[in-house]
């Protein structure tokens, strides 16, 4: 067989990416990370198009709707900053954000299904399990990076997850994992020990609109209160309103939920930076479980039949991540790289235990030893 010369440039580029990842990870092992704590925030189904271009005029309600005044601006850069000011004025300035396809910086899922359970499993385990092919509540047989970290003495009792969707106890396999997973309308355990947690838990339980999804606000504020009281080293906040409003074709509320998540990210970051246990020792990572369609009808949905819904966005900021800002004309990054990236930021080699996982995103680790 003749060697396919047309493929040579892409093969060389791929090899260079792998070698760069390996070199960066080796550097991280020899020069311990400054990151001691990790905060992961996911927002279900928030499209890369809205994150990078801002509010979409074709999806917007009539011009007399309040959403126009809140989020419409003359240019995409102004619109995206109005929608997610913390992401663009802080994270993108002090960290990095991947996923702007208009600038040649793709970020995407590798599972091919493009919906939630497989998407979260890919993010959290670092690989695709073909047996995870629905949103059915079946305990994930695979160990997530959160569970893997929790098995270590220094992280025991220091990992927690707060989620809006009721499937998260199965995604994270809470019965096996052993760390706190407070999802959907589940009451917070032993809330009497903290009156604020008790009140927030009650609000979450009583403010029901969807059957299997809590509103984001009480989920977030439970997580923030827990951060202040219990000081976990790894905190995962999984928000979900954006996907629910998207499926209901409520673009106005979809934008509102994106704006609120940005606010929550700022608040949790400011809270952490005000605490000596977290200040200058914490990395914030933000991403999504899948994208959505790209026209008036398909934007409401996602899945295997909408291959464009595989495209996502990934943002990070912290002491080990160079301030390279909005990435452009760079090698694609994938969701299956995030588990090993999270571990590497904390100075741990996830690949040694899970070689099937994607390799860490090299550029997010480049400050190790700086």
């Amino acid at each position: 067989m003749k060697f396919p010369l047309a493929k040579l440039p892409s093969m060389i580029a791929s090899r260079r990416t792998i070698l760069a990842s390996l070199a960066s990870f080796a550097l991280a092992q020899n020069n311990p990370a400054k990151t001691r704590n990790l905060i992961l925030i996911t927002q279900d189904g928030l499209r890369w198009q809205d994150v990078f271009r801002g509010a979409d005029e074709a999806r917007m309600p009539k011009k007399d709707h309040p959403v126009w005044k809140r989020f419409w601006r003359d240019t995409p850069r102004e619109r995206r900053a109005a929608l997610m000011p913390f992401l663009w004025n802080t994270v993108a300035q002090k960290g990095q954000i991947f996923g702007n396809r208009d600038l040649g910086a793709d970020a995407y899922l590798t599972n091919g299904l493009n919906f939630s359970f497989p998407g979260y499993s890919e993010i959290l385990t670092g690989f695709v399990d073909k047996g995870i092919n629905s949103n059915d509540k079946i305990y994930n047989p695979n160990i997530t990076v959160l569970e893997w970290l929790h098995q270590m003495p220094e992280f025991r009792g220091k990992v927690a997850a707060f989620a809006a969707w009721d499937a998260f106890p199965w995604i994270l396999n809470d019965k096996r994992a052993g760390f706190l997973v407070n999802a959907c309308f589940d009451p917070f355990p032993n809330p009497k020990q903290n009156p604020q947690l008790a009140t927030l838990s009650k609000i979450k339980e009583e403010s029901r609109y969807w059957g299997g999804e809590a509103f984001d606000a009480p989920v977030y504020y439970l997580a923030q209160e827990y951060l202040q009281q219990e000081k976990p080293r790894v905190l995962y906040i999984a928000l979900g309103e954006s996907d629910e409003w998207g499926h209901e074709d409520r673009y106005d509320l979809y934008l509102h939920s994106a704006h609120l998540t940005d606010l929550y990210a700022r608040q949790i970051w400011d809270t952490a930076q005000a605490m000596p246990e977290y200040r200058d020792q914490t990395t914030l990572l933000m991403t999504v479980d899948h994208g959505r369609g790209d026209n008036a009808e398909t934007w409401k949905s996602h899945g295997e039949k909408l291959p464009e819904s595989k495209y996502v966005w990934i943002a990070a900021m912290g002491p080990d991540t160079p301030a390279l800002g909005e990435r452009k004309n760079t090698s694609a990054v994938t969701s299956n790289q995030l588990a090993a990236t999270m571990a590497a930021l904390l100075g741990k080699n996830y690949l040694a235990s899970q070689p099937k996982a994607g390799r860490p995103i090299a550029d997010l680790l480049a400050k190790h030893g700086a």
Side-chain angles (χ1 to χ4, degrees):
M1 179 183 294
K2 293 182 178 180
F3 185 80
L5 293 177
K7 294 184 178 180
L8 184 58
S10 62
M11 292 173 68
I12 292 172
S14 176
R15 185 177 180 184
R16 285 175 177 166
T17 299
I18 293 171
L19 290 174
S21 295
L22 287 171
S24 180
F25 187 73
L27 177 63
Q29 300 310 297
N30 294 325
N31 300 278
K34 296 177 182 177
T35 297
R36 186 177 183 275
N37 315 290
L38 180 75
I39 299 172
L40 170 65
I41 300 176
T42 56
Q43 184 172 12
D44 202 308
L46 179 62
R47 303 188 312 165
W48 72 269
Q49 294 95 325
D50 303 294
V51 170
F52 291 99
R53 300 171 183 167
D56 184 349
E57 185 174 13
R59 309 283 85 74
M60 294 277 273
K62 294 180 180 179
K63 292 187 177 181
D64 59 355
H65 194 287
V67 77
W68 274 87
K69 184 176 181 179
R70 291 189 69 196
F71 301 126
W72 187 255
R73 303 291 187 273
D74 290 336
T75 68
R77 293 181 69 87
E78 292 173 313
R79 290 196 293 272
R80 72 189 191 183
L83 181 64
M84 304 185 78
F86 175 69
L87 181 69
W88 289 109
N89 297 332
T90 301
V91 179
Q93 299 301 315
K94 297 181 179 180
Q96 298 178 40
I97 179 167
F98 291 86
N100 191 343
R101 303 197 70 218
D102 297 330
L103 296 181
D106 288 0
Y108 59 87
L109 294 161
T110 65
N111 63 64
L113 299 176
N114 310 331
F115 59 87
S116 292
F117 202 132
Y120 288 120
S121 183
E122 177 177 338
I123 291 167
L124 295 165
T125 66
F127 62 92
V128 175
D129 180 347
K130 293 296 184 182
I132 296 177
N133 52 24
S134 75
N135 281 338
D136 294 345
K137 292 175 181 174
I138 298 172
Y139 281 110
N140 194 337
N142 308 298
I143 293 175
T144 68
V145 67
L146 304 184
E147 181 178 351
W148 180 78
L149 287 166
H150 190 252
Q151 293 171 351
M152 300 178 184
E154 63 264 48
F155 291 99
R156 176 65 61 176
K158 294 294 183 180
V159 178
F162 292 81
W165 189 29
D166 66 355
F168 265 94
W170 283 265
I171 294 169
L172 296 169
N173 200 329
D174 63 336
K175 293 188 181 300
R176 185 192 63 211
F179 59 83
L180 173 67
V181 180
N182 186 242
C184 197
F185 307 119
D186 291 344
F188 188 83
N190 302 317
K192 292 182 180 179
Q193 296 177 6
N194 183 319
Q196 182 76 351
L197 288 173
T199 300
L200 289 167
S201 184
K202 192 172 182 64
I203 291 171
K204 185 181 70 163
E205 293 174 57
E206 293 178 358
S207 57
R208 299 182 182 227
Y209 181 77
W210 300 288
E213 189 95 35
F215 284 124
D216 288 343
V219 173
Y220 163 72
Y221 285 108
L222 274 166
Q224 184 188 46
E225 182 68 16
Y226 187 87
L227 176 79
Q228 293 173 287
Q229 296 299 321
E230 302 298 329
K231 300 177 178 60
R233 290 193 58 192
V234 180
L235 178 64
Y236 178 28
I237 306 173
L239 305 176
E241 279 189 41
S242 48
D243 192 57
E244 297 290 349
W245 296 128
H247 285 303
E248 293 186 19
D249 199 17
R250 288 298 306 271
Y251 192 66
D252 56 336
L253 295 177
Y254 165 88
L255 292 178
H256 177 66
S257 69
H259 187 68
L260 277 182
T261 296
D262 183 81
L263 171 65
Y264 298 152
R266 179 183 66 78
Q267 290 180 169
I268 204 78
W269 179 256
D270 288 347
T271 298
Q273 292 303 306
M275 301 167 66
E277 299 89 348
Y278 295 91
R279 187 183 306 117
D280 300 326
Q281 303 174 73
T282 302
T283 289
L284 172 68
L285 184 64
M286 301 173 69
T287 192
V288 291
D289 56 328
H290 57 74
R292 315 188 78 79
D294 195 27
N295 63 44
E297 285 302 314
T298 63
W299 94 270
K300 295 180 288 186
S301 192
H302 53 87
E304 189 173 9
K305 293 182 179 180
L306 292 174
E308 68 269 29
S309 62
K310 76 176 185 178
Y311 291 104
V312 299
W313 56 275
I314 297 168
M317 174 177 64
D320 299 296
T321 299
L324 300 180
E326 181 180 14
R327 305 307 306 275
K328 58 184 179 181
N329 300 321
T330 188
S331 299
V333 295
T334 52
S335 296
N336 67 357
Q337 294 180 268
L338 289 171
T341 301
M342 287 185 267
L345 283 164
L346 292 165
K348 304 298 180 183
N349 184 357
Y350 185 64
L351 296 178
S353 297
Q354 187 46 266
K356 291 190 295 184
R359 300 195 176 278
I361 298 173
D363 287 352
L364 299 185
L365 308 171
K367 267 195 176 180
H368 282 201

